[in-house]
Structures are given as structure tokens and as C-alpha cells.
Amino acid sequence: MHMDTLTARPKVLKQANLSLIRKVLKAKGTATRAEIAYETKISSTTVRSLLSEMMQNGEIESIGYDESSGGRKAERYGFRPHRYYGAAFCITGDQIYGLLINVCGEIVEKTRLEAANGDFESAVTAWLDEQVKKRELKSIGIGVPGAVEGGGYWRTNETDGKLYKINIGDNLEKRYKIPVVLENDLNATAFGFGRCYAKEFLCENPNNVNMAFLYFEKGCVSAGFISGGRVVRGNNNFAGELGLLPMEHGKTLDACMAEPMEAVRYVNLVVQVISFICGILNPQYVVLGGPSLRKNCIGPVGDGLSAFLPKHLLPEILYSPDVWQDYFDGMASLTAGKMFDEVQFIKEQPCL
């Protein structure tokens, strides 16, 4: 029988253990030594030693003691909120915002950045260089207007129409030596809306969200899909290109949406597109948003779907009034989730 073995080089074993403890504290908010030892499988003695060191360097603080169940009260620990930070960037079109976030994923500071001649990477690095002088950053997140592949993303050249890759993630990881997460802007927006919705309605579990987010802008429609709380990206990371759907008279959806049209035709097109999505993904929610969305048509779209789809396929139609805020929340959450990924255990197969 062959078994996987967990290995870590002796020089980084301590850092690997610290990384595991940090992840538990971040996920749980607060934890006792016993809870940390159970979650990480690290010995209680090692956990106690590392927690003591983290207390001394100001990384964590004592939250208090649990109620006694007959024995000694267990001390509870949590992060000091201003010890570690992450930096997130939201890019769409010619706009870019920099977000400073704390370990809980809360936005501490938001700044609109200027990117000369569309040079987003220079704007990002200039802002990051200033931040690392003042505080310790543990992760970087970047929302980008294109299909993400590895440490870069693909964009269409407006001059020749060809795709080209921008390796901004790889470049930042080499420069700052901390984890970097890239996400498509609409995927991050859908993710952010789902997280905010779950916070507002506590009965919702963000890890079980099944949702389609339709974004209407300048005569085009695109989408972000969440299934089981996870983003659906597709084989080549291009999932959500609804504008390519063939519609009436052999035209694409984008071509139809670019034409002047009466409300009835508009509603019929949107109902048709959502019906396609429901037949394939069966989402619980379909969210509509974007600057070109006709808000007065949301009600008729819902009525049209109710008349067309069977009950078991019918989604709840929701409206996103602030797409930028959804984008910010999504990237803040994704960036916070990338903290403490710097050292991990490695699974190795034994040699035959």
C-alpha cells in the first residue's frame, strides 16, 4: 500500500506551522489552544510555544477566557486587527482603485489611482511601494478585465483585435515576494454580491451559493457564475461571454443589444438569455446590474420568466444597485483569503 506523506524542510517547518495557525485564527475569528491543535494537528506544546511568540511580537492578542466546564478556563486568541494587511486592486475599463484591507477582509482605505496611458501595472506598483513602507502586507489581489490564466490575464488589443497576455500577477509576486491572486472583474463582482447577500440574510451559506450575475454595459452583456460557492471559469477561463449567444435573425446577443429597441423586445431578449442559463446551470439567484441595465424592465423580466419556466427552474431575480461596491467586496474577500499562503506543507508520493 502506498501512502501520501506530509513533508516540510526543517528550516521552514516552524513557518509552515505558523501559517496553519494563522489560517485557523483567520477562519474562526478567535480560537483556543485546544481548538487550534485540533484543526492543525500540531501538538499542543508546539501550539502553545508559537502562540506565545505571536503574542510577544504583537501579532495576536488574548480575547479573554471561555466559561469553565469544571476545569481550567481556556484562553481565547485572535488577531490584532491592525497587524497585517492585504492590498486589493479593482480594474475595469480605464478605471483602477486600490484597497487596503485588514485580516478580516474589511476595507480600511480606498483610493482611486491614475494609470497613465493605461499602464495599470506602474500605477499598482507605485501604490504598493508606498504601502510596504508603512505596514506589513501579506497578500495582493487584482481584479482584471480579461480571462485569467496563471499569473496573468488575456486582453483584446483594440487596434488589431488580437488577444495578448499581461503577466501582472507573476511580476508582482516576484517583486514583493507575497501571494498574489488574480480574478476576472465580473467573477469578483459576482463573488462579492454573493458574500454581501449572505451577510444580509444569515440563513444563506456563502459556500452553497448558486448564482448568475448578468452585467449590462454599452450594448453588451456578460456574466459571472457561482456554483456551490465557487466561481465557474470554464476550460479556457472564458465562461460568461453571453454576448456571443446566437439570438434572433442570426445575430449575437451583443449585436442585438447594441440596436435601439422597445421595452418589449428588450424584455424578451433578457428572458430568453436567463432561460438558457437556468436550463444549463439552474441557479437559485439571477442578479441583474450594470450601467446599461433598464431597471424598469426588471419586473417584466421576472413576470416573463414565471410564465415561461417550470417552477423547479425558476430563479429569484435580484438587482445589484452598486456594482462597484460588489467588486470591492469581492476582491477584498479574495485577497484576505490569500493571506498566510506563503508557506505550506507539500504532499509527496514515496518512490517505488
Side-chain angles (χ1 to χ4, degrees):
M1 178 182 296
H2 300 293
M3 298 180 65
D4 289 345
T5 57
L6 284 174
T7 65
R9 295 181 179 179
K11 291 183 179 180
V12 298
L13 181 57
K14 177 181 176 181
Q15 291 302 316
N17 286 337
L18 283 169
S19 182
L20 290 174
I21 292 173
R22 288 166 179 150
K23 286 184 178 182
V24 171
L25 287 173
K26 181 182 177 301
K28 297 176 71 69
T30 67
T32 64
R33 177 159 52 93
E35 290 171 346
I36 294 170
Y38 176 80
E39 294 285 344
T40 62
K41 309 304 184 218
I42 302 171
S43 73
S44 181
T45 301
T46 300
V47 170
R48 179 170 55 193
S49 174
L50 293 176
L51 286 176
S52 176
E53 182 177 318
M54 294 167 77
M55 287 277 286
Q56 289 176 10
N57 67 24
E59 182 175 349
I60 62 173
E61 60 187 0
S62 174
I63 305 301
Y65 291 84
D66 287 357
E67 290 294 327
S68 174
S69 57
R72 186 177 179 181
K73 292 182 179 180
E75 189 171 10
R76 187 163 289 276
Y77 302 91
F79 279 114
R80 293 184 65 190
H82 305 299
R83 179 65 171 83
Y84 293 130
Y85 293 89
F89 299 89
C90 295
I91 304 172
T92 290
D94 60 353
Q95 297 186 69
I96 177 170
Y97 286 87
L99 311 175
L100 183 69
I101 63 169
N102 64 21
V103 73
C104 300
E106 299 166 334
I107 299 172
V108 177
E109 179 183 315
K110 178 174 64 180
T111 306
R112 180 162 181 177
L113 307 179
E114 296 297 328
N117 301 317
D119 187 358
F120 293 124
E121 187 167 338
S122 293
V124 166
T125 53
W127 195 75
L128 283 172
D129 287 346
E130 289 300 313
Q131 295 301 317
V132 297
K133 294 175 183 177
K134 298 181 285 187
R135 50 183 61 92
E136 185 170 359
L137 298 182
K138 280 293 184 180
S139 63
I140 299 170
I142 312 171
V144 294
V148 174
E149 182 182 28
Y153 70 102
W154 293 91
R155 288 203 69 177
T156 301
N157 189 313
E158 296 181 0
T159 303
D160 57 20
K162 295 182 179 180
L163 286 171
Y164 65 102
K165 191 176 182 183
I166 302 172
N167 294 309
I168 187 172
D170 287 337
N171 296 340
L172 293 179
E173 199 159 88
K174 290 177 183 177
R175 183 184 181 97
Y176 298 102
K177 306 296 190 297
I178 57 177
V180 176
V181 57
L182 262 69
E183 186 55 87
N184 168 266
D185 54 357
L186 190 49
N187 286 343
T189 301
F191 186 77
F193 182 93
R195 305 295 289 190
C196 292
Y197 190 80
K199 289 179 184 177
E200 185 175 352
F201 298 92
L202 298 180
C203 59
E204 299 290 338
N205 183 346
N207 296 322
N208 294 331
V209 169
N210 287 283
M211 179 185 72
F213 191 111
L214 274 61
Y215 183 76
F216 296 75
E217 182 182 27
K218 297 178 183 177
C220 66
V221 185
S222 50
F225 303 122
I226 308 291
S227 179
R230 303 181 68 178
V231 174
V232 177
R233 294 183 174 83
N235 182 49
N236 291 313
N237 301 303
F238 279 94
E241 294 292 334
L242 297 184
L244 300 176
L245 286 174
M247 306 300 288
E248 56 192 32
H249 309 304
K251 298 177 183 177
T252 65
L253 176 60
D254 276 356
C256 291
M257 284 293 179
E259 298 174 347
M261 69 177 77
E262 296 180 350
V264 172
R265 183 185 173 210
Y266 179 91
V267 169
N268 287 339
L269 283 173
V270 176
V271 167
Q272 189 175 351
V273 171
I274 295 177
S275 298
F276 289 156
I277 294 171
C278 291
I280 297 169
L281 295 178
N282 188 207
Q284 182 179 0
Y285 307 111
V286 172
V287 186
L288 307 179
S292 296
L293 172 68
R294 298 188 187 182
K295 294 188 288 292
N296 61 322
C297 290
I298 294 176
V301 166
D303 294 339
L305 288 169
S306 297
F308 185 71
L309 290 176
K311 187 175 181 180
H312 59 274
L313 283 178
L314 192 64
E316 182 177 351
I317 302 298
L318 304 174
Y319 168 59
S320 170
D322 191 341
V323 175
W324 269 107
Q325 189 58 52
D326 294 333
Y327 191 6
F328 296 152
D329 288 340
M331 283 312 305
S333 180
L334 291 168
T335 304
K338 197 68 175 177
M339 290 185 185
F340 315 126
D341 277 0
E342 67 275 10
V343 181
Q344 301 181 46
F345 286 108
I346 303 168
K347 274 193 173 184
E348 291 184 348
Q349 290 283 356
C351 298
L352 297 177

